[in-house]
Amino acid sequence: MRDSDRDTPDSDGDTYVVYHDWDEDDSLSSTVVTAVAAIRNVEPTAIDPLNEAVDPDALNTIFENRHGGAERSGATLTLRLNECSVTIHGDGRVVVGAPGEAASGGNNVR
């Protein structure tokens, strides 16, 4: 995650928005786990394994830049993890809804 954007709740406090930094060593799947842990106010090791919602390697691969370096800015994936709705955007934005917030149709890829 970019330090300047870390754990940024929206105005109603029910959603966290963080940005994955593609230039850092942390994987996108790590950013997702950290964001869900933040909104749940627990350590990342205290949440359900990510692979119960999505294959972490596949998640990382889906959002990698295309051959030639083109970003996948239009891609989105929505999933549920630890009762939170998580939407991942190709630009690195990860939006995590508070536990119990309705997900937009389970695990979806656009």
Side-chain angles (χ1 to χ4, degrees), residues 17-90:
V17 179
V18 295
Y19 290 84
H20 177 70
D21 188 340
W22 303 107
D23 296 326
E24 293 292 320
D25 290 336
D26 288 340
S27 65
L28 176 59
S29 56
S30 177
T31 298
V32 169
V33 169
T34 301
V36 171
I39 202 165
R40 298 287 312 218
N41 199 30
V42 297
E43 292 295 318
T45 56
I47 68 169
D48 295 335
L50 180 61
N51 65 4
E52 290 182 8
V54 66
D55 180 313
D57 292 331
L59 174 64
N60 296 332
T61 301
I62 288 171
F63 289 97
E64 285 179 353
N65 287 345
R66 295 180 177 138
H67 295 287
E71 292 182 359
R72 297 188 187 269
S73 58
T76 62
L77 171 74
T78 299
L79 57 92
R80 291 196 64 79
L81 181 63
N82 269 82
E83 301 176 14
C84 296
S85 172
V86 181
T87 301
I88 304 148
H89 299 266

